[in-house]
């Protein structure tokens, strides 16, 4: 029951402690103040409740990217996995941090796509880049990022409720 309660709190957009003295923040895919998109993206509202804040952002263009700069020690990327999911490269602070896949035989909403290694406390930037595959029907499908703050206190939560969407 504890895991279900924690998931419900996270989905409600509240800050939850991952470890004593640290907080986690969620940045959803429509937060124009914290995310930097490059290339062609679509931001689609879904009527079901399987996506954080009801939206998923998709890019089929080779090299399309989204970046988040945050103060923290860990970062995770969540998205939609399905049969049209593409491969992506992940960079942290401009260096290769690995690759990840949005592909799955069956639909997986709010799937963990990537989790960083522990980073030094401070400012970091994660960048997700669609691998060149020449197939625009294959997409990276971003739902939200979650990171652990490095200030030792509870981090704030950001969503798309501010209405400041500029793409």
């Amino acid at each position: 029951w504890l895991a279900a309660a924690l998931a419900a709190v996270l989905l409600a957009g509240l800050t939850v402690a991952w470890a004593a003295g640290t907080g986690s923040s969620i940045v959803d895919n429509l937060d124009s103040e914290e995310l930097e998109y490059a290339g062609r993206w679509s931001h689609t509202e879904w009527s079901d409740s399987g996506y954080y804040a009801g939206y998923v952002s998709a890019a089929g263009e080779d090299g399309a990217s989204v970046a988040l700069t945050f103060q923290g020690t860990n970062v995770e990327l969540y998205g939609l996995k399905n049969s049209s999911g593409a491969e992506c490269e992940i960079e942290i602070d401009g260096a290769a941090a690995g690759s990840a896949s949005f592909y799955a035989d069956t639909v997986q909403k709010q799937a963990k796509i990537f989790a960083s290694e522990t980073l030094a406390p401070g400012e970091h930037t994660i960048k997700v880049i669609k691998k060149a595959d020449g197939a625009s029907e294959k997409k990276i499908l971003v739902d939200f990022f979650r990171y652990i703050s490095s200030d030792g206190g509870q981090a704030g939560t950001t969503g798309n409720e501010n209405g400041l969407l500029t793409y």
Side-chain angles (χ1 to χ4, degrees):
W1 72 266
L2 182 59
L6 181 58
V9 169
L10 286 174
L11 291 175
L14 302 175
T15 300
V16 187
W18 280 10
T22 64
S24 71
S25 287
I26 294 176
V27 179
D28 88 13
N29 58 304
L30 291 181
D31 196 321
S32 62
E33 292 180 358
E34 294 196 50
L35 296 177
E36 182 179 330
Y37 286 95
R40 174 176 265 158
W41 285 81
S42 64
H43 309 282
T44 306
E45 182 176 12
W46 293 80
S47 60
D48 65 32
S49 61
Y51 304 100
Y52 183 82
Y55 285 83
V56 68
S57 295
E61 177 183 46
D62 291 348
S65 65
V66 59
L68 168 68
T69 299
F70 64 97
Q71 292 281 336
T73 57
N74 295 82
V75 64
E76 296 173 341
L77 166 66
Y78 291 81
L80 169 65
K81 285 188 168 196
N82 65 23
S83 60
S84 65
E87 303 293 313
C88 67
E89 295 292 337
I90 308 288
E91 294 178 356
I92 295 182
D93 299 333
S99 58
S101 178
F102 288 83
Y103 178 84
D105 289 330
T106 59
V107 173
Q108 298 174 22
K109 298 174 183 175
Q110 295 187 6
K112 187 185 294 183
I113 306 297
F114 175 82
S116 73
E117 300 291 327
T118 299
L119 307 168
E123 184 174 280
H124 299 283
T125 300
I126 181 173
K127 187 174 185 180
V128 181
I129 308 156
K130 184 187 182 274
K131 279 188 180 180
D133 60 11
S136 62
E137 69 276 2
K138 297 288 186 182
K139 300 187 182 328
I140 57 175
L141 303 144
V142 174
D143 194 359
F144 64 93
F145 292 86
R146 182 169 69 172
Y147 64 91
I148 298 179
S149 69
S150 59
D151 65 3
Q154 292 296 314
T157 301
T158 307
N160 66 339
E161 65 281 350
N162 59 21
L164 302 173
L165 306 179
T166 55
Y167 298 100

